[in-house]
Amino acid sequence: MTPRLPSHYEVLGVSITASLKEIKAAYRRAAREHHPDHGGDPEEFHRVTLAYEVLSDPQRRKAYDSSYFAASPQRGPTGASWSPGTGGTDDGGAHPPSSARAGEWSPGETFSAQRRSPRPQRNQAGEPAVYEPPFAEGAVPLIPRDLAARREHGEPRRRGIFGAAARIEREQRTAALIRKFVLAEIPSARLLNGLRSPDGSTYIAHAVLAGYRLALVDSMLVPVGNYAWNGEQLLHGGRGATPPLLGGQVRMFQELFPELNVQGFVLVQTPDPGLHQPVIDVHRNVTGGIEPLNASKFTRELKFFLASGPQPNVVFLPAFARLLTGLHA
C-alpha cells in the first residue's frame, strides 16, 4: 500500500486556520531544520518549500483548500505525486483499527451489503467522542480543539434568486433532523452544511462524519401522498419526480477520502412535518442506486450507517480538517 504523504499544513506544522504570519514563521523554522546546507533531508526540504509556496499565496491556498487538498500535491522520494485513490490513509500515519482493515468494511462496500450481514459488536457510537490523532501538549493540531469540539459547521448557502428561500428552508429542516436524531445520539458525529463539490461546479447540502464513515445528504420537497420508487423516479399520480443525483458526488468523495466509507442519502420532505410522510413503496426489481427516504426511515438508516462503522466514537481529525476547508464561505 502506498504511504500517504502529508498535507501542506502537516508539513509546516500549522492549523488549517493559520494566518499568513503563522505560516511564514512555521516555514522559517522548518526551512532551517530541513535545509540541506544544515544537514537536512533534501526531499523534506522540497516538501517544506512546496507547502509554503501554496499556503503563502491566497489564491493557491484557496484552490488547495477547496479541492480537499488534492491540488498541488506533495511528492514522494521517487518524484511521483500522491493523489486520491492511490492508497494509504489521510491521517499522517494513523489508520483505522486493525479489525476494520481486516475486512469489517471497505470503501467500495455498499451500505445495503453491510445491512444484510451485520457483525455483532458493542455499541460504541454512544460513547464519549475521542480524537484521532489525539491532541498533544506542545503540538499544533490540524484543527484547534474548540473548533473540533463543535458539532455543527456551516450553513445553507444562498444561491440564486428564485427559489433560494425554499431551498434554504428545506436544508434547515434537514439539518434540524440530523441535529435531533443523529448528533444527539452519536457524540462523535460532526455535521457540515454547505460543501463545495470536488468538481468545483456543484454543491453538497450536508455531510455527516462519524468515525471512519461519511454520509452525503441532499433533500427534495414533494406533496403529501403515496409514492413508488422505480430506481430512477418517485412516481405519484402519473407523474415522476427525479431525486437529487448524489451518485457522482459519492464517487468523487470516495476517491478523495479512500480511508472512509462514503455513502449518499436523499431525504424526501413534504409540507406535512410528520416523520412518516410521504409513504414510499419500492418496486421489487429495484437494485442499487440511492433510495429516497421519508424522515422516519432517513434518520433510522443514517444513524445505523454511522453507528455501525469501525470505532464510531472517533472524530477523525485529518478527514474533518479537509471537509472544513471545503465549506462555502
Side-chain angles (χ1 to χ4, degrees):
M1 180 176 288
T2 304
R4 202 255 344 162
L5 292 174
S7 70
H8 296 328
Y9 293 98
E10 292 168 289
V11 166
L12 294 183
V14 296
S15 162
I16 60 170
T17 60
S19 66
L20 180 57
K21 181 179 179 180
E22 291 170 327
I23 289 170
K24 288 181 177 179
Y27 168 68
R28 286 193 292 269
R29 289 193 299 270
R32 283 196 300 268
E33 178 181 355
H34 298 292
H35 199 289
D37 290 348
H38 299 158
D41 179 7
E43 182 60 34
E44 191 63 30
F45 181 71
H46 171 76
R47 292 182 184 178
V48 168
T49 303
L50 176 59
Y52 178 70
E53 288 175 352
V54 172
L55 298 185
S56 63
D57 183 312
Q59 293 303 317
R60 293 184 68 182
R61 181 179 181 180
K62 181 178 179 181
Y64 180 69
D65 288 350
S66 63
S67 72
Y68 301 93
F69 302 178
S72 302
Q74 288 285 345
R75 295 183 178 274
T78 62
S81 63
W82 176 88
S83 62
T86 58
T89 59
D90 190 29
D91 56 3
H95 297 276
S98 59
S99 60
R101 297 197 302 274
E104 185 170 340
W105 71 280
S106 65
E109 183 183 3
T110 63
F111 182 36
S112 59
Q114 297 160 359
R115 289 299 303 269
R116 287 194 293 271
S117 58
R119 286 192 171 194
Q121 59 180 359
R122 87 177 194 272
N123 179 22
Q124 293 179 291
E127 297 179 1
V130 296
Y131 296 101
E132 178 61 39
F135 290 99
E137 191 68 30
V140 179
L142 268 174
I143 311 175
R145 186 187 292 268
D146 58 342
L147 186 62
R150 282 177 48 192
R151 307 294 303 281
E152 184 173 356
H153 300 261
E155 58 186 20
R157 183 171 67 98
R158 296 182 180 275
R159 49 199 197 282
I161 299 175
F162 301 104
R167 286 194 295 271
I168 292 171
E169 181 181 358
R170 189 179 71 239
E171 291 175 10
Q172 287 174 338
R173 286 179 60 185
T174 302
L177 278 174
I178 296 172
R179 202 177 297 128
K180 180 177 180 180
F181 291 98
V182 178
L183 301 191
E185 299 186 31
I186 304 179
S188 69
R190 298 294 184 265
L191 169 62
L192 299 102
N193 302 306
L195 289 175
R196 301 179 186 89
S197 170
D199 64 14
S201 63
T202 49
Y203 170 81
I204 299 94
H206 316 276
V208 189
L209 177 70
Y212 299 93
R213 291 194 168 180
L214 175 65
L216 304 183
V217 178
D218 209 335
S219 61
M220 61 187 298
L221 180 67
V222 300
V224 173
N226 290 0
Y227 290 77
W229 170 242
N230 66 1
E232 296 181 357
Q233 290 187 316
L234 278 176
L235 306 176
H236 173 67
R239 295 184 178 182
T242 302
L245 302 177
L246 266 181
Q249 303 291 353
V250 170
R251 288 189 292 273
M252 282 191 285
F253 271 86
Q254 187 63 84
E255 291 180 356
L256 283 169
F257 294 85
E259 71 279 19
L260 303 179
N261 187 344
V262 184
Q263 298 292 334
F265 294 81
V266 173
L267 169 65
V268 184
Q269 301 178 12
T270 71
D272 182 346
L275 296 180
H276 300 282
Q277 279 290 344
V279 176
I280 304 174
D281 295 319
V282 180
H283 288 184
R284 285 185 183 178
N285 59 346
V286 172
T287 57
I290 299 176
E291 176 188 339
L293 309 170
N294 64 21
S296 175
K297 193 171 183 180
F298 165 77
T299 54
R300 184 171 67 250
E301 296 283 296
L302 176 59
K303 187 164 57 177
F304 181 89
F305 169 67
L306 297 172
S308 61
Q311 292 192 330
N313 63 319
V314 163
V315 179
F316 187 41
L317 293 177
F320 188 26
R322 294 171 64 191
L323 290 167
L324 284 173
T325 64
L327 284 171
H328 279 279

